[in-house]
Amino acid sequence: MNARWRSLLLPVVFVTGCLTATVVHARETLTFGVFAYRPENIVRERYEPLVRYLAEQVGAEVELEVLSQEDMSRAIAANRLDFFLTNPSHFLLIRSERSLTGVLATLVRRSGDSSTASLGGVIFTSTGRDDINGLEDLRGKNIASPGVHFLGGFQAQTLELLEAGIDIRRMNRVRFVDTHDRVVRSVLSGDSDAGFIRTTILEEMAQASPGFLSQVKVLNRQALAGFPYVVSTRLYPEWPVVALPHVDERDVRRIASALFAIEPEDEAAVAAGISGFSPPADYQSVEYLARTLRVPPYDQIPQVTWVDVLHQYRIWVFTIVVLAMLLFGGALWLARSRRQLATQQKRLKRLIGDWPQPALLIRDGVLVNTNRAAVDLLRYASNASLHGKSLDVFSPEIQPGGQLSRQKMEQILVRVRGGYVEQCEWVLQRSDRSEVWLDMTLAPVQDERETEPVILCSLYNITRRKRAEQRQRLAASVFDHAREAIFITDSHGMVIDANDAYREITGRPLSRVIGRLPPLPLEEGSGVFASARHQGFWTGEFLCKHQNGEVLVLAMTISSVCGDRGEVSHFVGIFSDISRLKEQEQKLRVMAHYDSLTGLPNRVLFSDRLQQAMALSRRQGGKLAVVYIDLDEFKPVNDAFGHEAGDQLLIEIASRMRSVLREEDTLARIGGDEFAAIVMNVQQEDALEGLLVRLLARVAEPVWVANHSVEVSASIGYTLFPQTDDLDGDQLLRQADQAMYQAKHQGRNCYVGFSAPSG
Amino acid sequence: MQRRDFLGFSIAAGFSMAGLAGCSKSGPLVFGVHPWIGYEPLYLAKEFGWLPTSVALSSGSTSGDSMAGLLSGELGGAALTLDETIRVWSLGTELVVVAVADVSAGADVLVVRPHIAELAALRNQRVAVELNGVSAILLLKILEVAGLGRGDIVTVDLPVSQHAEAWARGEIDASVCYEPTASALQREGGVRLFDSSDIPETIFDVLVVTRETANRNPGAVRDLVAAHFTGLRHLVRSMHDAVYRVASRQGIEPVNVRKALATVMLPDLAANQRYLAASGRVEAMARSLSRLMLSEGMISSDPGFKRLCDPAFLPRSVP
């Protein structure tokens, strides 16, 4: 602005002023409220000229009201003000409480030659405070501020500190002292460590008292070219002039035009320390500040509905919901699988624990787990007595194979750790020292996390089987090694197995044994099996031919073997060759009944034959005679020529007598030189006597013995049967003997029949 | 206001051609920036601490520094005009436009002697222009509007800083320039006949990064763009504060900052989305500019880009 313009403007203002003054003469008073940011007298002194100027321009009475923020708010609420000038923060608060016509103009402050429509905050402390040099140093310090609704006295600094990471409101060390002047006093007096004031205050005070600036130290000083004041914060638009809605529109226009018309050199401007008014500034930055700090009117946390949240954070909400669902689902799944796992584990544990087969788990060579059956098998009281011990502790020192238990177990474990499944027989020793045979299976239970695999050991008690095997082996050895032939046939009698003795006795090779009948008695044949079937066994002796044609006598027993349903399924036969036995028996029998020298029956057989003959005679009614023969003069032969000659003589005589007798007659030697004979079917006594005569004759013939011809005779006595008395054999022989003695008495070489002694 | 100062550019380009190209470094994105009102948001962001550590600003005095840095590989990105972007691309460094910082709306001016009343009257007049800079683009557009060819005027290739002297000596009849030269010429009796507001949405100042940076370090690029918009919001919303800060840095009066702000449009996020779209204004302008520059011999080879802009780095909202 140059001087030319000003000289033009002034008359215009004057003329308009006069005109309006005349036109609106009886106008009511307009009230112009100004916020008392400094002591009221100072503010009033400064703005009085401006109000006078406005009164002139508008042509109405304009009254100045200098008010504190609270008073101004109340006055506005009561419509006692028509226009007001206050700081932007306070303006926002008022605007939020009632409707306004909007900002007419923004104050432009002046400092020397430069002017600015911006204001900011100053953070300061007294010069002596060496401990406070930057924003950081304000932490925990007492701070004086005029009030919350002071833009340059509180809000601007608060934001600055907030961005530096210091929330002074939270620290609660701010004291509100109503005016900027009191803030300065508080800081200078040391009541507060630091103070917040708006820009221009320091410069204004310095104007009033030179040297003042040296008492204060401004913090966070901003270097802003062209900005005429010291400042610690960013800048905001200066104070607005606002009209209230009830004011006549024409008055508003006139006031506005009057405000814009103010030149820096005008008295009103100079007094107020301003260079005029500019078109309304954009107060957005102040609103933003208030919102950021959440100070009134933006202290209310906006009612955020769920819809807003959803709208604002839909991706987050969606993500969180999805994650939560996944988590929930995962948790459910995890819980379910854990439950399943627990059930499974319990079932598995119960399965293993209750499994009738003994099972053990081995880790590091020692038992770590055992089931009930295993404990029972070893006859211990509890699992605890097994755990932590090696399996070979429960084994005899030496296994049946001859290997040491410890060595064998180590070898097995090495193989199992190599991934193989091992199966072997093992003997364990129970707590009562008894041994038990087991079929042991060891398998590795692989687990990648464990270096040493757990080995599952399953045991199967085979003691009973082992014993059965032993019995069977024994039975088999009996079968194999018996001297008796043993054979097994099917139910039809066909041999299905036979032992070596069978083949030896029969001489038949095995090919001719299996599938054929065993040797059987000729007369009965396979009927023996029928007997065995009915009676359970059959026994008998019979002749049979050896393969080489030799005749054998076999003594055989056949037993039936019953199947499960009681029917005969097999026959077991056992036989032995008794040929030799029979032969010996025959020999003995001969020795018992015959005279070994002459081969004639001896006395025993004679008696037997006599009994039979007597019985026959009684039955058939025939007669028989018992003849007693005694050689005469035998002893001299024996003495003269020796016993051998005597024996030869006896043999010769016996042979001659035998040849005289008939086949059915019996001749027996019953003493040294005594013979007896039974003559059957004696019809006539004459015929008997003829026979006796022939006997005597044959005996009397000379016999050549020991190179000598010898002659002997015989004395014969006889008796007949039956007789009137019932006699036995001995009595008969005695009768014949008595008769023979008579013959001896009658001169030998004769026969005498027995006749019962009379008397 | 030296963005159009190309002093040293040729030298820098020469260095890069000579094979002094630095190897690409990992670490923060080094972003070349020089004083210009459109790039101020980045400085504001830096001043207020809104620039993450993933981005490091490298302040040059002119755009030439930035171009040389891009070509040598020292810079991962820079603030350039659209024609500068095309020049760098044609020299072999592939670039991506990630944001539009401002659109010239009166910043570039044609000042003429009073006797030239209309554009057609430029015929056979001596027009001072810095052919190597963005002024050349304005001149080409002026000729296009005037219906004149290059041969119809007498082109005086002169750095803008020397226009005032040439004017005073009477060596030129017209000047394609910008502030503060434009005001100086006007004070000497020059008349503003034409400015960039007459050809809206033609002269763009953009933020570019190399293709390699965009691929290798997209997070830093996003941080850079977000910081720009945060600074821009402060510039627009708290202009009372910002003008003083810009003035302080550029060493000029706040009032000149206000003037400068009046000659540019600062597109916000939504406008950027629009500009950077595949069928957007920047893409179309870049194509027509590269054709023009090629035909005028301002670049030696067609950069042949398929896609210059990438709006993917724009934030969804300003924090």
Side-chain angles (χ1 to χ4, degrees):
Chain A
M1 269 317 133
N2 50 37
R4 184 164 53 106
W5 275 105
R6 197 176 49 186
S7 55
L8 272 174
L9 192 72
L10 277 176
V12 173
V13 170
F14 178 69
V15 172
T16 24
C18 292
L19 279 173
T20 45
T22 49
V23 173
V24 281
H25 180 66
R27 294 289 297 272
E28 57 190 276
T29 311
L30 292 173
T31 313
F32 196 97
V34 176
F35 164 46
Y37 73 104
R38 295 201 60 194
E40 192 196 330
N41 58 332
I42 297 177
V43 176
R44 185 170 288 281
E45 188 185 315
R46 289 193 173 177
Y47 283 93
E48 206 65 72
L50 177 70
V51 169
R52 271 204 307 279
Y53 160 79
L54 288 176
E56 280 168 24
Q57 294 297 309
V58 179
E61 194 85 6
V62 178
E63 194 184 319
L64 175 66
E65 288 260 19
V66 178
L67 302 159
S68 69
Q69 285 186 347
E70 291 76 22
D71 292 342
M72 185 178 276
S73 295
R74 271 197 293 278
I76 288 165
N79 264 351
R80 282 195 281 111
L81 296 182
D82 299 309
F83 298 91
F84 64 87
L85 177 66
T86 188
N87 77 44
S89 296
H90 189 215
F91 158 65
L92 290 180
L93 187 65
I94 294 167
R95 195 183 65 179
S96 74
E97 286 164 357
R98 59 164 305 157
S99 63
L100 302 169
T101 51
V103 177
L104 293 185
T106 294
L107 189 110
V108 181
R109 218 168 276 275
R110 180 178 185 174
S111 172
D113 289 338
S114 59
S115 57
T116 179
S118 301
L119 71 85
V122 178
I123 306 170
F124 73 101
T125 182
S126 60
T127 316
R129 293 301 292 262
D130 293 334
D131 56 328
I132 304 175
N133 295 307
L135 296 185
E136 272 300 315
D137 302 330
L138 291 180
R139 236 180 252 281
K141 296 289 190 296
N142 292 320
I143 294 166
S145 161
V148 173
H149 303 299
F150 284 70
L151 174 61
F154 180 72
Q155 296 183 3
Q157 289 93 337
T158 306
L159 179 74
E160 220 64 36
L161 285 162
L162 200 63
E163 295 211 336
I166 305 162
D167 190 348
I168 52 158
R169 290 169 302 172
R170 192 162 294 175
M171 291 172 184
N172 205 18
R173 303 295 286 268
V174 183
R175 297 163 58 205
F176 296 111
V177 295
D178 290 337
T179 65
H180 294 287
D181 294 64
R182 287 191 196 161
V183 172
V184 175
R185 274 203 297 277
S186 172
V187 172
L188 290 184
S189 69
D191 286 350
S192 301
D193 299 318
F196 291 170
I197 50 171
R198 59 154 290 166
T199 47
T200 74
I201 301 291
L202 288 181
E203 287 80 359
E204 283 172 17
M205 288 188 165
Q207 237 170 10
S209 59
F212 166 75
L213 283 179
S214 61
Q215 297 176 38
V216 296
K217 179 162 72 179
V218 175
L219 307 178
N220 196 39
R221 191 169 187 155
Q222 305 282 301
L224 298 178
F227 189 71
Y229 306 108
V230 290
V231 62
S232 307
T233 70
R234 60 200 74 175
L235 302 178
Y236 301 90
E238 263 286 3
W239 290 17
V241 180
V242 185
L244 280 111
H246 66 265
V247 184
D248 188 77
E249 199 192 322
R250 208 165 50 165
D251 290 340
V252 175
R253 269 203 323 271
R254 285 184 179 175
I255 290 284
S257 69
L259 289 173
F260 290 138
I262 294 171
E263 289 293 333
E265 297 82 6
D266 292 351
E267 185 206 349
V270 172
I274 64 176
S275 62
F277 288 87
S278 69
D282 184 356
Y283 287 93
Q284 212 193 142
S285 57
V286 185
E287 278 176 47
Y288 171 74
L289 170 68
R291 272 183 216 280
T292 308
L293 298 181
R294 288 240 169 97
V295 293
Y298 302 106
D299 53 342
Q300 293 302 313
I301 298 169
Q303 284 293 317
V304 183
T305 63
W306 281 110
V307 179
D308 294 336
V309 174
L310 277 177
H311 188 73
Q312 178 93 31
Y313 299 106
R314 56 178 173 271
I315 290 174
W316 281 106
V317 169
F318 179 75
T319 311
I320 288 167
V321 165
V322 166
L323 281 177
M325 276 165 65
L326 281 176
L327 202 71
F328 184 67
L332 271 184
W333 178 81
L334 214 66
R336 223 185 93 220
S337 46
R338 229 172 75 177
R339 209 163 45 238
Q340 271 179 350
L341 208 69
T343 315
Q344 229 166 36
Q345 207 170 17
K346 212 184 289 174
R347 197 184 303 144
L348 211 65
K349 216 167 173 177
R350 212 168 46 224
L351 178 73
I352 292 172
D354 297 349
W355 187 245
Q357 296 301 332
L360 320 157
L361 284 181
I362 299 173
R363 193 193 292 145
D364 299 323
V366 298
L367 304 178
V368 291
N369 213 337
T370 49
N371 67 356
R372 189 68 234 163
V375 177
D376 291 347
L377 175 81
L378 289 169
R379 295 189 180 153
Y380 277 93
S382 71
N383 292 318
S385 23
L386 304 183
H387 291 177
K389 294 173 188 164
S390 168
L391 197 58
D392 52 57
V393 171
F394 306 101
S395 310
E397 197 176 350
I398 293 170
Q399 285 296 308
Q403 231 177 334
L404 283 172
S405 288
R406 181 184 298 276
Q407 267 178 9
K408 188 175 176 186
M409 180 54 71
E410 270 167 19
Q411 285 167 6
I412 290 171
L413 288 180
V414 164
R415 278 198 297 276
V416 174
R417 281 184 200 119
Y420 296 98
V421 174
E422 281 289 317
Q423 189 165 21
C424 64
E425 288 186 355
W426 190 266
V427 173
L428 283 182
Q429 200 165 42
R430 289 165 161 156
S431 61
D432 57 7
R433 317 298 291 168
S434 64
E435 290 190 348
V436 56
W437 278 83
L438 299 159
D439 187 58
M440 181 165 73
T441 307
L442 292 110
V445 182
Q446 290 295 357
D447 191 339
E448 285 124 23
R449 282 171 302 175
E450 289 180 65
T451 47
E452 171 79 20
V454 173
I455 294 167
L456 175 66
C457 171
S458 144
L459 305 172
Y460 182 72
N461 190 344
I462 55 166
T463 308
R464 197 175 293 176
R465 198 183 82 199
K466 275 281 163 191
R467 294 213 175 121
E469 272 176 17
Q470 273 173 348
R471 271 205 306 276
Q472 213 164 14
R473 247 198 320 275
L474 213 59
S477 78
V478 168
F479 186 79
D480 288 338
H481 298 106
R483 294 194 46 85
E484 284 75 21
I486 301 170
F487 62 91
I488 302 163
T489 75
D490 60 10
S491 60
H492 303 293
M494 296 299 170
V495 174
I496 53 176
D497 197 8
N499 65 354
D500 294 343
Y502 184 103
R503 295 198 293 275
E504 210 169 287
I505 292 170
T506 60
R508 298 177 191 171
L510 198 61
S511 58
R512 294 194 56 198
V513 170
I514 305 296
R516 295 175 189 228
L517 285 170
L520 294 171
L522 273 175
E523 51 275 24
E524 286 177 87
S526 53
V528 297
F529 291 112
S531 310
R533 195 187 297 276
H534 290 125
Q535 297 166 16
F537 70 97
W538 174 90
T539 181
E541 292 175 3
F542 56 91
L543 292 177
C544 152
K545 271 195 169 168
H546 190 267
Q547 191 68 14
N548 57 17
E550 200 182 318
V551 176
L552 304 169
V553 184
L554 303 181
M556 183 180 283
T557 303
I558 296 176
S559 305
S560 57
V561 177
C562 290
D564 297 336
R565 281 167 294 175
E567 86 287 0
V568 172
S569 61
H570 295 90
F571 292 103
V572 175
I574 176 162
F575 62 84
S576 49
D577 179 8
I578 55 167
S579 306
R580 194 160 301 207
L581 208 66
K582 280 286 171 192
E583 215 170 284
Q584 278 179 345
E585 189 184 287
Q586 186 66 30
K587 273 183 191 160
L588 282 173
R589 197 159 47 236
V590 170
M591 278 165 70
H593 293 93
Y594 292 88
D595 171 39
S596 57
L597 184 68
T598 61
L600 294 175
N602 60 9
R603 185 186 284 268
V604 177
L605 186 58
F606 180 80
S607 302
D608 195 35
R609 293 251 179 108
L610 183 56
Q611 291 289 333
Q612 287 174 25
M614 283 165 70
L616 191 69
S617 174
R618 281 192 202 100
R619 206 162 48 245
Q620 294 177 351
K623 277 189 178 173
L624 62 85
V626 174
V627 179
Y628 204 107
I629 305 158
D630 186 86
L631 294 182
D632 304 324
E633 309 298 335
F634 176 70
K635 198 167 178 330
V637 176
N638 216 9
D639 293 342
F641 301 109
H643 286 288
E644 270 184 37
D647 288 351
Q648 276 182 5
L649 178 65
L650 285 174
I651 291 166
E652 180 59 31
I653 297 298
S655 172
R656 286 179 188 174
M657 286 194 291
R658 183 67 251 182
S659 64
V660 173
L661 292 171
R662 291 169 299 169
E663 187 65 27
E664 66 263 32
D665 300 339
T666 299
L667 176 66
R669 185 183 173 211
I670 54 175
D673 56 349
E674 292 168 1
F675 297 88
I678 303 161
V679 180
M680 305 296 290
N681 298 320
V682 178
Q683 304 295 336
Q684 299 290 325
E685 213 165 321
D686 298 347
L688 178 69
E689 285 175 4
L691 174 71
L692 295 178
V693 168
R694 283 196 304 276
L695 267 180
L696 287 175
R698 278 299 281 157
V699 171
E701 284 173 19
V703 180
W704 189 261
V705 291
N707 298 320
H708 291 81
S709 177
V710 178
E711 285 181 26
V712 287
S713 62
S715 299
I716 295 173
Y718 72 92
T719 185
L720 291 171
F721 181 84
Q723 296 173 19
T724 47
D725 298 332
D726 190 20
L727 301 171
D728 64 9
D730 287 341
Q731 286 173 317
L732 279 178
L733 193 58
R734 242 186 335 268
Q735 284 179 358
D737 189 23
Q738 283 173 17
M740 183 275 289
Y741 272 102
Q742 281 178 10
K744 282 269 185 206
H745 284 291
Q746 287 171 16
R748 306 179 180 184
N749 200 18
C750 64
Y751 61 89
V752 174
F754 176 75
S755 57
S758 53
Chain B
M1 215 107 30
Q2 297 130 335
R3 71 161 172 165
R4 275 117 186 157
D5 191 345
F6 274 81
L7 198 68
F9 167 66
S10 327
I11 302 164
F15 271 129
S16 81
M17 293 300 151
L20 288 179
C23 53
S24 58
K25 285 171 278 183
S26 57
L29 161 58
V30 183
F31 193 81
V33 64
H34 55 274
W36 169 243
I37 187 67
Y39 308 150
E40 282 303 328
L42 279 176
Y43 281 115
L44 287 173
K46 187 183 177 189
E47 188 169 345
F48 284 107
W50 299 326
L51 198 64
T53 50
S54 57
V55 183
L57 290 187
S58 164
S59 291
S61 57
T62 69
S63 63
D65 297 343
S66 295
M67 291 165 75
L70 284 175
L71 287 169
S72 71
E74 277 169 30
L75 299 179
L80 296 175
T81 59
L82 196 54
D83 63 292
E84 285 160 354
T85 305
I86 293 165
R87 280 173 219 259
V88 172
W89 190 306
S90 74
L91 288 171
T93 299
E94 214 175 306
L95 298 174
V96 184
V97 174
V98 293
V100 175
D102 70 275
V103 187
S104 176
D108 297 276
V109 191
L110 172 69
V111 180
V112 296
R113 303 250 178 216
H115 70 267
I116 301 170
E118 53 174 17
L119 289 180
L122 281 174
R123 191 183 291 271
N124 297 325
Q125 300 295 321
R126 295 163 299 170
V127 181
V129 65
E130 186 178 323
L131 281 178
N132 220 1
V134 75
S135 301
I137 304 300
L138 185 70
L139 178 64
L140 292 176
K141 289 289 172 188
I142 289 167
L143 293 177
E144 214 175 279
V145 173
L148 299 173
R150 282 285 296 275
D152 293 334
I153 57 165
V154 180
T155 310
V156 181
D157 188 3
L158 201 64
V160 173
S161 52
Q162 296 172 28
H163 285 201
E165 295 166 30
W167 181 279
R169 289 196 297 270
E171 289 168 7
I172 53 174
D173 303 313
S175 157
V176 181
C177 59
Y178 39 81
E179 295 297 345
T181 308
S183 298
L185 294 183
Q186 277 174 279
R187 278 196 295 275
E188 297 292 323
V191 175
R192 274 172 90 113
L193 189 61
F194 192 91
D195 66 33
S196 52
S197 63
D198 295 319
I199 45 165
E201 299 194 325
T202 302
I203 297 177
F204 289 95
D205 286 290
V206 292
L207 306 186
V208 300
V209 294
T210 59
R211 176 74 66 189
E212 194 204 344
T213 303
N215 292 339
R216 204 192 58 229
N217 202 355
V221 178
R222 269 193 289 277
D223 288 343
L224 167 82
V225 177
H228 165 75
F229 282 105
T230 314
L232 177 63
R233 186 175 61 181
H234 184 78
L235 179 64
V236 171
R237 186 156 63 190
S238 302
M239 201 173 279
H240 280 271
D241 182 69
V243 286
Y244 286 104
R245 295 183 190 276
V246 175
S248 305
R249 187 171 33 262
Q250 297 198 356
I252 56 173
E253 289 293 310
V255 66
N256 290 330
V257 176
R258 287 183 196 281
K259 272 189 191 164
L261 280 171
T263 61
V264 291
M265 296 197 302
L266 300 166
D268 65 2
L269 202 51
N272 257 279
Q273 290 281 8
R274 210 163 54 242
Y275 279 134
L276 296 183
S279 56
R281 179 72 184 161
V282 176
E283 200 81 35
M285 199 62 223
R287 280 175 210 291
S288 86
L289 261 186
S290 61
R291 274 196 303 277
L292 189 65
M293 290 166 77
L294 191 63
S295 67
E296 296 295 337
M298 291 159 71
I299 51 175
S300 52
S301 64
D302 183 10
F305 47 76
K306 290 198 182 73
R307 187 85 172 84
L308 183 64
C309 307
D310 191 349
F313 298 101
L314 296 177
R316 291 168 61 85
S317 63
V318 181

